[in-house]
């Protein structure tokens, strides 16, 4: 079994910053792509940012230049540094990872439960 646990969400004013963390635990052999998704009320979940094991990144246009995704492979953790936050960034942010477990021949996709980010005055 493997789990992803997000942390770092909360209430922040427009223009402020937050740093989200997502730690993977379990019998993990390796993690390929990791990413952050978000879902606002009444909207579909969308990709915010993704990062490969080789640190190749991809961002949604709406967050490009404001958000930075990074990872620490030794800790099996992915981060999302969010700067210049806007009210429209308000959403539940969920972590996703493609994980290969020890003793397994096939990778699987794992999701965290999410952490709420609220940007408001």
């Amino acid at each position: 079994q493997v789990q992803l646990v997000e942390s770092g969400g909360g209430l922040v004013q427009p223009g402020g910053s937050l740093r989200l963390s997502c730690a993977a635990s379990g019998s993990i052999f390796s993690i390929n792509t990791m990413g952050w998704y978000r879902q606002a009320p009444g909207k579909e979940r969308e990709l915010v940012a993704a990062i490969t094991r080789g640190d190749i990144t991809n961002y949604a246009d709406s967050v490009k230049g404001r958000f930075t995704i990074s990872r620490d492979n030794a800790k099996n953790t992915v981060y999302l540094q969010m700067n210049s936050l806007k009210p429209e960034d308000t959403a539940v942010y969920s972590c996703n990872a493609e994980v290969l477990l020890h003793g397994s021949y096939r990778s699987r996709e794992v999701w965290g439960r999410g952490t709420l980010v609220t940007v408001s005055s």
Side-chain angles (χ1 to χ4, degrees), residues 24-102:
S25 61
S27 186
I28 299 170
F29 178 75
S30 65
I31 302 177
N32 293 322
T33 300
M34 303 185 79
W36 288 96
Y37 291 75
R38 67 185 181 187
Q39 187 169 27
K43 295 186 177 181
E44 293 186 358
R45 184 164 57 190
E46 64 174 347
L47 175 68
V48 177
I51 184 168
T52 69
R53 197 168 188 272
D55 290 335
I56 299 172
T57 58
N58 184 43
Y59 297 92
D61 288 338
S62 60
V63 307
K64 200 170 297 181
R66 299 188 296 121
F67 292 9
T68 303
I69 189 170
S70 61
R71 63 190 289 170
D72 185 336
N73 292 329
K75 295 181 178 180
N76 288 329
T77 300
V78 63
Y79 307 94
L80 186 67
Q81 178 66 47
M82 304 184 294
N83 299 326
S84 302
L85 283 162
K86 305 174 181 179
E88 48 263 48
D89 293 320
T90 296
V92 173
Y93 286 71
S94 300
C95 178
N96 172 271
E98 182 187 1
V99 180
L100 180 64
L101 302 177
H102 283 287

